[in-house]
Amino acid sequence: MDLKWNEFIITGDPLILGAQISILLGGIAVVAALTYFKKWSWLWKEWLTSVDHKKLGIMYILSALLMLFRGGIDGLMIRTQLAKPGMEFLDPQHYNEVFSTHGVIMILFMAMPFLIGLINYIVPLQIGARDVAFPYLNNLSFWTFFVGMALFNISFIIGGSPDAGWTGYTPLATNEFSPGPGQNYYLLAIQIAGIGTLMTGINFFVTILKMRTKGMTLMKMSMFTWTSLITMLIIIFAFPVLTVALAMQTFDRLFGSVLFTLQGDGNPMLWVNLFWVWGHPEVYIVILPAFGIFSEIISTFARKQLFAYKAMVVSIVTISVLSFLVWVHHFFTMGNSAEANSFFSITTMAISIPTGVKIFNWLFTMYRGRITFTTPMLWSLAFIPNFVIGGVTGVMLAMAAADYQYHNTYFLVSHFHYVLISGTVFACFAGLIYWYPKMFGHKLNEKIGKWAFWIFVIGFNVCFFPQYFLGLDGMPRRISTYLPEDGWTGLNMISTIGAFMMGLAFLIFVYNIYYSWRYSPREKTGDAWGLGRNLEWATTSSIPPHYNFAVLPEVTGLDPYWDMKEKGLDQQKNTDYKPIHMPSNSSTPAIMSALMGMAAFGLVFQWYWVGIVGAVGIFITMIVRSFDYNDGYYVSVEEIKETEAKANK
Amino acid sequence: MAHDHNVNPNAPLEYQSEAGRLNITGFWTFLGAEIALFSTLFASYFALQSRVGDGPTSIEMFEAGLVMIMTMLLLTSSFTCGLAIHEMRANNVKGVIGWMIITLILGAGFIGYELYEFVHYVHEGVTLGTSAHWSMFFILLGTHGLHVSIGIGWIILLLIQLARRGLTPKTASKVFISSLYWHFLDVVWIFIFTCVYLMGMVN
Ligand code: HEM
Ligand SMILES: [Cu+2]
């Protein structure tokens, strides 16, 4: 690809220029601060090379919040452009880029890492383990995700963003109709991050299966752990499909194959199928852990064991199987036979059965419970009705014949925002607030938190509820403007106002992080809410020491920590310490991932020599790793005693 | 926990340490993902099989003799790889290294023939861009060939480690895992042989 300098760095758009300047200034500020406070080696040794699942969890969550900001700005730009007919805020090309990056970032670089971050932090604690099965791999997963994210995000300042939608449909995404580096960024950035996700899937699958503490059988695991286990299983079978699909489109774009093109007898519909064979399980990857989080929070603050635990487990397993059998519902209108459409219509509707079972389980958990209305509980309560609206409209979309009316209209847009925001995003907020004291040793301020909650939930409904009607009124998705005669002006304006309310709520949420860091009282025990039921609350200190448990807990039933409290057993009184074996930090994953980023960057611009140099570098780091026989180290009994004595003082 | 050295001396060497056991379970899980990966490639191959455009069909290009040699090489290598693990159970490092070297030579022979086949097609004018059918052919076989090549490089590294450190629970679990990988690639090849070559030569 022969690019001139001014085509390489994107110029001429005031919005992008503003972003470039603020990124530059922000970058300089961060570097200056780290240098001034002499924090570079601390950052590298304590965080970036850490294999501690808790620190990795926090790094995932921070990245996800950053992406929520970036994706949120994209969303607000879309809504600004659509607020009135004939707006000239974004030109059509820029509009296409913005909705494409918005979708990719929100699903792959916000929702997934947010949930994976929470899983990283909490699941090993809930199963009473000291780390994950493959701590080194865990660090590598984080870095591949991070590099993929970084690569995707620089596209809008260097070379240009992808503009073929988050679905990257062919033939639109082929060289013929999407020339330039944008779509290459999409393919390579998601490829790198996806490999990281697959490694996470394997890692946590084995962790949950093999590293549970004594007495914790599968049917004694917390619901969040169960949903994580099933999510990992879905990842293991769905992500390779994405890997192959992305590689195939990459071959079409870079190496001249003709799989999805209009020449050479290619078949563009094959991409659409492969994308959704991954894509539909993907939406369950981001919703199942959310279900787990709500289950934890609802049973905690209703002070009751989760209602019908077994039915819950059966329904998530059923959902995971069905999630692989419904992908055609994303393209009922694209020329399938009536038989195929009927089959996929029925499987899709079937998914709402186990989902409905879960809704009733949550309601019955609260029935006759003594409910405390904390902010995490408020988010969970708001989830139920909002998610039901998303689910019901999903079933409407599932009727193939009716979908000819709804497909690719704002009705669909509203459906998936109702499930993704009130499901996944509410869960991320709820989970973060709920487990915040576990991560940082103090709670988030409840009063500010409730302001953020109400503004967000109202803003969300103001933004998306009108979109159902816009859709029924025939407003298609992915259009950059419309005419006054279309009659969509009023509802669009309302929708835009709602979007800005959500933006405001996000700012309040972030302010709350700062405020609480300054002013919230520090927690004195491991059980910050006083109502904890699972083992993550059983640690001595509010923030667990790096080895998590000085003595591994033993489990006899569901809700083991609640059990211990009821029986008056104090996990912390057990001082029969033994030396603890822990894995060592490693710097190869960060280097290996950086080299992957370099190779991919080269391929984006078809500078093959950069790709080759990067690939050679990756192999060298792998060889170094293969010869690394570092087996970790032992924490001595004295050190454990010291740490435990200092806990919460 | 994971990395506790709670050794179980009665199990085979590769299963003795907790880390070894976890690595083996992890690798089986990874093979599950690999099955999903190759299934997707096969499904795509079937979807595009008849899409030959102006290019030739499989039947016009394939040569039975070449494919038979490749198949024999890879199947034999799987057998010698099994013998290496057998020697590992008998705690004979030299035996492991010896059989593994033979395995690698057979694997390299397979890759050599595969490259020859690809180059031959390109000379005949059949390339990645000839038709969707041939794009998918090269990608499916290329993915398998790349796996075998990476396997060769990986096992060479392990052999160096074996020569230096002898058989320990750690080296043993590494070698055992690489053998699982090798057998897996053999199984994939059997599917390629059947679905791509045999069916391609019949149609
Ligand atoms: C009751 C369960 C659900 C049903 C019956 C259902 C049904 C559907 C159907 C039929 C479509 C395609 C409509 C069209 O393209 O015309 C669709 C799209 C979509 N759904 Fe759902 N859905 C359900 C739950 C979910 C959940 C839980 C999520 C995510 C958390 C989700 C996320 C999406 C997304 C992202 C799209 C559209 C993607 C795109 O085209 O860009 N859905 N849903
Ligand atoms: Cu779907």
Side-chain angles (χ1 to χ4, degrees), chain A residues 307-471:
Chain A
F307 180 84
Y309 173 90
K310 280 191 189 137
M312 237 17 179
V313 172
V314 172
S315 62
I316 45 178
V317 174
T318 317
I319 288 178
S320 73
V321 175
L322 284 176
S323 74
F324 281 92
L325 300 173
V326 298
W327 79 92
V328 171
H329 69 213
H330 291 277
F331 45 94
F332 282 142
T333 58
M334 298 193 202
N336 316 305
S337 67
E339 290 77 14
N341 272 358
S342 315
F343 174 82
F344 285 97
S345 194
I346 291 166
T347 53
T348 305
M349 290 182 210
I351 274 207
S352 56
I353 298 170
T355 314
V357 169
K358 299 177 79 71
I359 299 277
F360 283 105
N361 285 344
W362 290 312
L363 293 178
F364 282 118
T365 305
M366 287 187 283
Y367 180 66
R368 301 224 166 154
R370 273 185 298 139
I371 299 177
T372 326
F373 292 94
T374 56
T375 21
M377 187 63 171
L378 287 180
W379 285 105
S380 312
L381 291 173
F383 148 75
I384 295 176
N386 285 300
F387 189 81
V388 167
I389 297 176
V392 168
T393 50
V395 178
M396 292 170 71
L397 289 162
M399 295 181 278
D403 190 50
Y404 275 77
Q405 173 69 23
Y406 312 133
H407 181 60
N408 274 355
T409 68
Y410 263 81
F411 190 88
L412 166 70
V413 173
S414 195
H415 155 69
F416 66 72
H417 283 93
Y418 261 85
V419 275
L420 282 167
I421 295 185
S422 78
T424 308
V425 176
F426 284 16
C428 290
F429 286 148
L432 182 59
I433 302 168
Y434 178 58
W435 284 309
Y436 203 84
K438 188 72 0 200
M439 298 177 186
F440 300 103
H442 61 86
K443 285 190 191 128
L444 287 172
N445 182 288
E446 285 280 294
K447 202 165 163 195
I448 305 178
K450 283 178 185 169
W451 274 101
F453 165 78
W454 283 110
I455 297 177
F456 195 95
V457 172
I458 294 171
F460 162 66
N461 278 284
V462 171
C463 179
F464 290 104
F465 205 70
Q467 293 186 5
Y468 283 124
F469 298 96
L470 283 170

Side-chain angles (χ1 to χ4, degrees), chain A residues 132-135 198 202 205-206 210-211 236-237 240-241 244 248 251 255-259 264-267 270 274 552 581 583 623 626-629 631 634, chain B residues 1-5 22-23 25-26 29-30 32-33 36-37 40-41 44 47-48 51-53 128-129 131-132 135-136 139 157 160-161 164-165 170-171 174:
Chain A
V132 295
F134 311 113
L198 178 60
I202 295 172
F205 184 72
V206 177
K210 291 283 172 181
M211 298 193 47
I236 291 165
F237 289 110
V241 181
V244 170
M248 285 164 71
F251 264 73
F255 308 121
S257 62
V258 288
L259 300 159
D265 227 355
N267 184 358
L270 181 60
L274 292 178
L552 292 177
H581 184 259
I623 294 171
S626 180
F627 281 92
D628 178 4
Y629 273 68
D631 272 339
Y634 279 92
Chain B
M1 256 256 310
H3 321 282
D4 251 352
H5 294 201
L22 281 174
N23 284 345
T25 316
T29 317
F30 170 72
L37 185 127
T40 312
L41 287 168
S44 306
L48 299 175
R51 294 181 167 260
V52 289
L128 206 55
S131 65
S135 298
M136 204 54 225
I139 288 177
L157 296 180
I160 299 172
Q161 292 167 31
R164 282 197 196 161
R165 293 167 187 269
K170 190 155 181 178
T171 51
K174 286 186 171 197

Side-chain angles (χ1 to χ4, degrees), chain B residues 47-93:
Chain B
L48 299 175
Q49 200 174 20
S50 59
R51 294 181 167 260
V52 289
D54 308 326
T57 57
S58 302
I59 211 163
E60 293 166 42
M61 300 302 298
F62 289 163
E63 279 171 40
L66 189 79
V67 184
M68 282 315 291
I69 299 175
M70 287 167 71
T71 308
M72 287 322 294
L73 285 174
L74 208 59
L75 288 185
T76 320
S77 83
S78 214
F79 178 67
T80 55
C81 180
L83 289 177
I85 299 304
H86 184 74
E87 291 294 332
M88 195 167 86
R89 295 278 155 77
N91 217 354
N92 174 4
V93 191

Side-chain angles (χ1 to χ4, degrees), chain B residues 9-22:
Chain B
N10 298 323
L13 204 51
E14 66 272 19
Y15 286 100
Q16 282 185 5
S17 73
E18 170 103 40
R21 289 194 291 273
L22 281 174

Side-chain angles (χ1 to χ4, degrees), chain A residues 240-254:
Chain A
V241 181
L242 179 70
T243 304
V244 170
L246 292 171
M248 285 164 71
Q249 200 183 106
T250 308
F251 264 73
D252 269 12
R253 290 184 59 88
L254 298 184

